[in-house]
Amino acid sequence: MSLSSTTTTCTSLLQELQIIWDEIGEGYNERDTMLLELEQECLDIYNKKVDKTRKHRAELQRSLAQSEAEIATLMSALGEQASFSRKEGSLKEQISSVKPVLDELMVKKDLRWREISEIVTQIAEISSNIAGNDCSVSSGLEIDESDLTKRKLDELRAHLQELRNEKAVRLQKVNFYISAVHELSEILSFDFSKALSNVHKSLTGASKSISNDTLARLTELVESLKKEKLQRLLKLQGLGRTMQELWNLMETPMDERRRFDNLSGLLSVQAADDALGKGCLGLDIVREAEDEVKRLNALKSSKMKELVLKRHCELEEICREVHMDFNSDAARQMMNVSFAGNADLSDILASLDEQIEKAKAEALSRKEILDKVEKLKHAKEEEKWLDDYEKDENRFSAVRGAHKNLKRAEKARSLISKIPAMIDGLTTKVKAWEKERGVPFLCDKHPLLQTLEEEIVLRAQREEEKRQLREQKRLQGQLATEKEAKYGSKSAKKPLGQSLNTDNVTKTPLGRRIGTTPGRSGVKDYRDSGRGNATAIPLNYVALQKED
């Protein structure tokens, strides 16, 4: 509605009011009063409208200022570097230009706040896990909205990554300790889940505690279990050795020993970190081994006399085999006194075991020398046999087994030729042995070195006797030859080495082959062959064989 139409309407209404007043007969004073009231009412209405409009302008100005202030605050909080300048125009135009900028900044703020809030929540959760707090982290964490910059977000992300890495390292340690506890639980035979629950109840679930306290308690648990494992291993090894000693002592059958084969396997374990079988160090195994050792010790006490006698016989046999001096009668007398006096036979048995070990060591050191002594004895026996064999005038007769004797004689001569070297080598060995130990080497209670020296003297005497005998036979043969050359041969001489014994002659293969009667025909054959070959065989036939 325009101003002119409004004025017209007011004039017409005033005219109509005048007409009504005329009809009513209002006085001029009342009319003036009423007109003044109308003017005042109109003025009041205008004043109200002006005040309202002023307030609206002030509100728009305040809103614009607030928007600009919010924009400045948001840009500072978000770290925006772009500047904002107010545009020219009315307040509504200015507000319209500011509103999109403010809305955009508010959206950025909300996104940035959510990102930071999520990161801060994760940081709080991981920090709580590391600190060992079991209570859950509330979602209403306080965030400083005055600093929502990209730099702040990057710092929080870096801190979160550090915490994640630390969490991963701690979780890896926890899993390592859990695996170690599981492995030890299988070896030591204890409840794996119960052991972990005693450390922290979360270790048996999916989300495991990674706090310092949990790691410290897990470390302590693993160390204590390793110590327990080592203690049990050493204890079972000791029980196993004791068990084997008692088994060997009492000659326990292998069927009874197989029940403890697992203990035999533990004896070869060098370190506690070596791989061990499942349940091999359980408390039941330890108790079973302890019971077996107790049983064997009780059985040992009842068989102690028998064991002492057996050990004495073993010691006596070792000394006898290696020709060591051992006073068996005195030892038996001491044992009889101990048996009669009910003395502690364990000490006697331990002493015998110690003597047996020393005797075995002594026997081992004497073995090489005694082997050479046995070879020397064998050579001397062959020498004696060869002497007897060469004295036999019928050794060349064609009897059964003669070729074997010839071969034996050949080997005996070769062996006898080595006797001096054998004696020299044995003497050197014995002297070195005596020098090392500072005691004489006794063989059957006699010094072996003295025996060897006596043997050297005896051999020298025998060689001299043989040489003189050969010289005497040579002179006799030479004298007989000179006499025969001077006076001539009266009759054919029978070759040395043959005999008129009809028993030997009739045993020749020829006699058996042609089936002749033993006796005359054999003698005749022998005589004929003797007369036919008398001049072909030298007189010193035997002497020549001796020299060979």
Side-chain angles (χ1 to χ4, degrees):
M1 183 179 294
S2 64
L3 182 60
S4 59
S5 61
T6 302
T7 303
T8 301
T9 302
C10 290
T11 302
S12 63
L13 288 174
L14 184 59
Q15 289 176 356
E16 184 179 357
L17 183 60
Q18 289 290 344
I19 294 172
I20 294 172
W21 280 341
D22 289 338
E23 290 178 358
I24 295 174
E26 288 287 343
Y28 290 105
N29 293 330
E30 286 82 0
R31 291 183 181 184
D32 291 337
T33 302
M34 293 179 69
L35 288 173
L36 289 172
E37 289 178 357
L38 286 173
E39 290 178 0
Q40 186 64 39
E41 288 178 0
C42 288
L43 183 61
D44 292 339
I45 290 172
Y46 276 111
N47 286 331
K48 288 181 180 179
K49 288 295 183 182
V50 170
D51 291 339
K52 185 177 181 180
T53 303
R54 285 197 190 101
K55 290 179 180 179
H56 181 55
R57 182 186 65 182
E59 289 177 356
L60 290 177
Q61 290 174 345
R62 186 168 54 253
S63 176
L64 179 60
Q66 289 178 350
S67 297
E68 291 177 345
E70 288 182 9
I71 289 173
T73 302
L74 290 174
M75 291 181 69
S76 173
L78 296 174
E80 297 288 341
Q81 300 296 330
S83 59
F84 173 75
S85 58
R86 182 187 299 181
K87 293 183 179 180
E88 298 295 334
S90 65
L91 291 176
K92 289 186 176 180
E93 289 176 351
Q94 291 179 9
I95 290 174
S96 298
S97 64
V98 167
K99 189 175 185 330
V101 177
L102 180 60
D103 292 341
E104 182 181 358
L105 290 174
M106 290 295 293
V107 170
K108 285 184 178 181
K109 174 191 174 183
D110 291 339
L111 291 175
R112 186 70 55 79
W113 186 88
R114 281 196 294 270
E115 289 179 349
I116 292 178
S117 176
E118 182 179 353
I119 294 174
V120 169
T121 301
Q122 294 181 19
I123 289 175
E125 289 178 353
I126 297 176
S127 299
S128 178
N129 291 337
I130 293 175
N133 297 328
D134 296 333
C135 56
S136 60
V137 178
S138 61
S139 57
L141 295 173
E142 294 184 2
I143 298 175
D144 184 9
E145 296 186 1
S146 63
D147 188 4
L148 301 177
T149 60
K150 187 69 168 58
R151 181 179 60 81
K152 178 69 173 180
L153 181 63
D154 293 338
E155 290 177 355
L156 291 174
R157 283 175 176 170
H159 183 44
L160 176 61
Q161 188 61 41
E162 292 177 358
L163 291 175
R164 283 175 175 172
N165 294 338
E166 184 177 357
K167 179 181 178 180
V169 172
R170 287 171 174 263
L171 188 60
Q172 185 178 5
K173 289 182 179 180
V174 169
N175 290 330
F176 171 77
Y177 287 133
I178 290 176
S179 299
V181 173
H182 183 267
E183 180 182 352
L184 291 168
S185 69
E186 291 188 342
I187 296 174
L188 299 176
S189 297
F190 63 85
D191 191 344
F192 166 68
S193 299
K194 184 177 179 181
L196 290 182
S197 297
N198 292 335
V199 175
H200 198 281
K201 60 183 180 180
S202 67
L203 295 178
T204 56
S207 180
K208 299 178 177 61
S209 173
I210 57 173
S211 66
N212 292 332
D213 181 64
T214 301
L215 286 173
R217 296 180 67 181
L218 278 175
T219 304
E220 183 180 356
L221 175 62
V222 171
E223 291 299 324
S224 64
L225 290 176
K226 286 183 177 180
K227 289 180 180 178
E228 180 68 18
K229 174 185 175 183
L230 179 60
Q231 290 175 358
R232 291 191 191 181
L233 175 62
L234 295 176
K235 186 172 185 178
L236 284 175
Q237 285 180 338
L239 291 172
R241 293 188 187 95
T242 304
M243 204 178 295
Q244 285 192 345
E245 291 175 0
L246 293 172
W247 281 340
N248 296 333
L249 192 64
M250 293 178 287
E251 297 181 350
T252 304
M254 294 303 298
D255 293 338
E256 296 184 17
R257 303 187 186 190
R258 287 194 184 96
R259 191 160 56 97
F260 296 93
D261 283 344
N262 55 340
L263 287 183
S264 301
L266 291 177
L267 294 178
S268 60
V269 176
Q270 299 295 329
D273 295 333
D274 293 348
L276 297 175
K278 184 177 180 180
C280 65
L281 299 181
L283 285 176
D284 54 337
I285 302 296
V286 176
R287 295 191 188 99
E288 189 176 0
E290 289 175 343
D291 293 341
E292 179 65 12
V293 170
K294 290 179 181 178
R295 185 187 71 82
L296 291 174
N297 281 325
L299 187 62
K300 172 186 173 183
S301 299
S302 62
K303 292 187 176 181
M304 189 60 71
K305 289 185 179 181
E306 179 183 348
L307 293 173
V308 169
L309 291 174
K310 189 174 182 180
R311 285 292 185 274
H312 179 270
C313 293
E314 182 180 353
L315 178 59
E316 188 176 5
E317 180 65 18
I318 293 173
C319 294
R320 185 188 61 79
E321 288 180 354
V322 295
H323 306 279
M324 289 195 303
D325 185 17
F326 179 68
N327 195 341
S328 177
D329 295 336
R332 286 186 181 276
Q333 185 177 0
M334 289 181 62
M335 283 193 302
N336 292 333
V337 172
S338 300
F339 292 160
N342 294 325
D344 187 7
L345 300 182
S346 299
D347 296 337
I348 299 177
L349 189 62
S351 176
L352 285 174
D353 288 337
E354 184 178 355
Q355 292 180 50
I356 288 174
E357 291 300 322
K358 290 182 179 179
K360 287 181 179 179
E362 183 78 8
L364 186 62
S365 68
R366 294 165 61 94
K367 185 177 183 304
E368 183 179 2
I369 294 176
L370 291 176
D371 289 343
K372 292 182 178 295
V373 170
E374 290 300 322
K375 291 180 180 179
L376 180 60
K377 286 182 179 179
H378 174 67
K380 290 172 64 177
E381 290 173 358
E382 290 297 297
E383 184 180 27
K384 184 177 181 302
W385 176 86
L386 184 62
D387 289 341
D388 296 337
Y389 174 73
E390 289 181 343
K391 292 176 182 178
D392 185 9
E393 296 180 351
N394 299 321
R395 63 183 182 276
F396 297 112
S397 60
V399 296
R400 180 178 295 179
H403 65 288
K404 293 183 180 180
N405 288 335
L406 288 173
K407 289 183 179 180
R408 182 179 176 183
E410 180 87 16
K411 293 180 179 179
R413 292 188 185 97
S414 176
L415 183 60
I416 292 168
S417 66
K418 299 177 183 178
I419 288 179
M422 294 170 66
I423 293 176
D424 292 340
L426 186 56
T427 302
T428 303
K429 287 286 184 182
V430 172
K431 288 182 178 179
W433 189 93
E434 291 181 349
K435 182 178 179 181
E436 180 181 354
R437 287 164 177 78
V439 293
F441 190 100
L442 298 180
C443 184
D444 296 331
K445 299 183 180 181
H446 297 289
L448 180 57
L449 194 59
Q450 181 180 348
T451 304
L452 292 173
E453 292 173 354
E454 293 174 355
E455 177 66 19
I456 293 173
V457 174
L458 291 175
R459 291 192 65 81
Q461 293 176 356
R462 285 199 297 270
E463 289 296 326
E464 181 63 23
E465 291 174 358
K466 287 182 180 180
R467 189 190 65 77
Q468 292 177 1
L469 183 60
R470 287 196 299 269
E471 183 66 20
Q472 183 180 359
K473 287 184 178 181
R474 187 183 66 79
L475 293 175
Q476 289 176 354
Q478 183 178 1
L479 182 61
T481 303
E482 292 175 355
K483 187 182 292 186
E484 183 180 353
K486 182 176 181 180
Y487 299 105
S489 177
K490 295 182 178 180
S491 61
K493 294 186 180 294
K494 176 172 61 68
L496 296 176
Q498 295 186 6
S499 175
L500 293 177
N501 190 335
T502 57
D503 292 338
N504 287 335
V505 175
T506 56
K507 292 179 183 177
T508 61
L510 180 62
R512 289 196 301 272
R513 191 164 54 246
I514 63 177
T516 56
T517 304
R520 291 190 303 272
S521 62
V523 174
K524 182 178 181 300
D525 293 339
Y526 178 81
R527 288 175 179 174
D528 291 343
S529 92
R531 284 195 300 270
N533 298 327
T535 58
I537 299 176
L539 294 176
N540 58 346
Y541 178 81
V542 176
L544 291 175
Q545 291 297 326
K546 286 282 186 175
E547 292 176 356
D548 292 339

